[in-house]
Amino acid sequence: MRILLLAVVAAFIGVPLHSAPGEAVSASPCHLTIHVPVGATLLVNGARTQQMTAVRRFVSPPLPVGKKFFYAFTATWTQNGALVTTQQQVDVSAGADLVVDMTQAERVANAQPKAAGPKSAFEKPK
């Protein structure tokens, strides 16, 4: 009997344990779907995204359950020859599935494009 017990225990050593159904998960990502005009520039927390489609999807890193976080979105596009910039702060949490429409977000008054800086560390600003 002891040999059988030892064989069973040895078989499970190194096998990852999974939580039982109904147990809380400690961290989970948030899924975000952002709507912007095609070709709009979209910044997430100040970092420009690479996607240029009208619907942009993102997955956050795993977020601790029970804690609140936020992402700050800024979208810029040209509409009827005028530059349009909108901003929205979105609260996120673990496991959330959110849709954000930047075309309906708060518009920034008198938005001006930023002046281009030096292209390299050796080029002086104009």
Side-chain angles (χ1 to χ4, degrees):
M1 186 69 152
R2 288 184 187 172
I3 294 174
L4 179 61
L5 181 60
L6 287 174
V8 170
V9 170
F12 285 104
I13 293 177
V15 175
L17 298 177
H18 298 281
S19 60
E23 286 189 21
V25 178
S26 62
S28 178
C30 172
H31 297 264
L32 297 141
T33 301
I34 314 300
H35 294 270
V36 294
V38 172
T41 299
L42 180 64
L43 305 178
V44 181
N45 291 347
R48 184 176 177 170
T49 64
Q50 298 300 312
Q51 300 174 37
M52 297 304 286
T53 58
V55 178
R56 305 181 192 187
R57 292 181 173 84
F58 304 97
V59 178
S60 75
L63 303 172
V65 172
K67 295 193 175 191
K68 299 288 182 185
F69 300 90
F70 72 91
Y71 281 108
F73 293 98
T74 302
T76 304
W77 67 91
T78 302
Q79 182 176 1
N80 298 326
L83 187 65
V84 176
T85 300
T86 61
Q87 294 179 333
Q88 186 167 349
Q89 181 173 307
V90 178
D91 294 327
V92 298
S93 58
D97 191 6
L98 304 172
V99 177
V100 179
D101 187 349
M102 292 301 292
T103 65
Q104 302 300 314
E106 177 184 345
R107 291 193 178 211
V108 178
N110 299 324
Q112 297 294 323
K114 292 183 179 179
K119 294 181 181 175
S120 74
F122 302 105
E123 183 181 337
K124 294 182 181 179
K126 296 178 182 179

